Amino acid sequence: QKEVEQDPGPLSVPEGAIVSLNCTYSNSAFQYFMWYRQYSRKGPELLMYTYSSGNKEDGRFTAQVDKSSKYISLFIRDSQPSDSATYLCAMIDYTGTASKLTFGTGTRLQVTL
Amino acid sequence: NAGVTQTPKFQVLKTGQSMTLQCAQDMNHNSMYWYRQDPGMGLRLIYYSASEGTTDKGEVPNGYNVSRLNKREFSLRLESAAPSQTSVYFCASSERRAGGGWNEQFFGPGTRLTVL
């Protein structure tokens, strides 16, 4: 069983829809939770991160962490065609001096006009 | 400020050939990482270097070697390429956080490698 599970999609939604992306994990030692966005043929770029449980909002994006259920979510409001990308969840069990990330497989999102 | 750069962008190898993937960062980061990305597998850590002069294995190190040439550069070498190493390779860097916590990893544009 993978440490981090993520539905690969693809997920297709119309412009303006609310999108919900989710990951589950098994390692209770994970402390930091991130969402990366990856456009086609590009490297991932950090979208949001949260520490421990709770919600964090940034514009149209909301990240939610429920450590008791080992479940994280990313909500995108008023989705735009420019949001079409692969979204990767990532987590870290911080040890030592290097930040070793564990990634989900990514969910491919397509926002249509 | 170029961030993280990788060369080459594309490469085709025959089984058994060797090659080195180059990575450089201009953000004065201490830590650097090599990942591979495969369909259905996500990004997996191959090797990392917490600081200049140190390297450690990640999740999938077999078949690879790395060199932290200096603070800026971190190379990944395939000594005898195999078709199973066909993948997209990403280099990343982050600042080192001595007191704990986490720092954002910045990724390069990737190298697409095909081994025939």
Side-chain angles (χ1 to χ4, degrees):
Chain A
Q1 185 192 3
K2 293 179 184 174
E3 274 192 295
V4 179
E5 299 278 357
Q6 184 175 7
D7 187 337
L11 182 63
S12 183
V13 301
E15 184 179 8
I18 296 174
V19 177
S20 171
L21 304 168
N22 312 293
C23 289
T24 60
Y25 63 94
S26 57
N27 185 351
S28 55
F30 285 138
Q31 301 175 52
Y32 290 85
F33 304 88
M34 302 104 203
W35 287 95
Y36 278 81
R37 179 173 60 194
Q38 185 177 22
Y39 290 113
S40 182
R41 296 184 175 265
K42 301 287 187 186
E45 55 182 358
L46 182 67
L47 193 57
M48 295 184 72
Y49 80 93
T50 53
Y51 174 69
S52 194
S53 285
N55 290 3
K56 186 174 183 178
E57 192 172 314
D58 184 2
R60 296 184 295 110
F61 299 89
T62 300
Q64 207 170 69
V65 174
D66 181 349
K67 289 191 76 176
S68 62
S69 301
K70 296 190 179 68
Y71 188 88
I72 72 170
S73 300
L74 177 71
F75 298 97
I76 307 174
R77 291 183 299 280
D78 188 25
S79 55
Q80 303 294 311
S82 58
D83 295 328
S84 298
T86 296
Y87 291 80
L88 300 145
C89 64
M91 307 174 191
I92 181 169
D93 169 15
Y94 190 85
T95 56
T97 54
S99 304
K100 294 193 290 181
L101 293 171
T102 300
F103 282 88
T105 53
T107 299
R108 191 150 53 94
L109 172 67
Q110 181 74 36
V111 181
T112 56
L113 290 168
Chain B
N1 200 352
V4 179
T5 56
Q6 293 182 236
T7 55
K9 287 187 169 53
F10 303 93
Q11 185 71 48
V12 178
L13 292 178
K14 294 180 180 176
T15 297
Q17 287 185 316
S18 62
M19 80 159 295
T20 300
L21 281 65
Q22 306 286 355
C23 173
Q25 51 91 11
D26 62 2
M27 295 174 282
N28 202 36
H29 286 164
N30 281 291
S31 301
M32 297 185 73
Y33 313 81
W34 275 107
Y35 294 89
R36 59 178 290 173
Q37 187 173 35
D38 303 291
M41 300 295 292
L43 281 150
R44 292 180 292 169
L45 183 65
I46 305 170
Y47 271 93
Y48 67 99
S49 171
S51 60
E52 188 178 354
T54 70
T55 60
D56 283 287
K57 295 178 181 179
E59 183 186 352
V60 288
N62 291 346
Y64 305 96
N65 285 302
V66 290
S67 295
R68 184 73 184 268
L69 305 169
N70 48 56
K71 191 173 184 180
R72 288 187 65 247
E73 298 171 289
F74 189 38
S75 63
L76 179 72
R77 182 158 178 84
L78 286 71
E79 290 291 352
S80 179
S84 60
Q85 293 178 304
T86 293
S87 188
V88 182
Y89 291 85
F90 289 99
C91 177
S93 71
S94 70
E95 189 45 80
R96 171 178 163 165
R97 202 159 182 133
W102 169 80
N103 275 317
E104 178 182 354
Q105 288 189 19
F106 294 83
F107 285 80
T111 294
R112 292 180 174 271
L113 175 67
T114 301
V115 182
L116 301 174

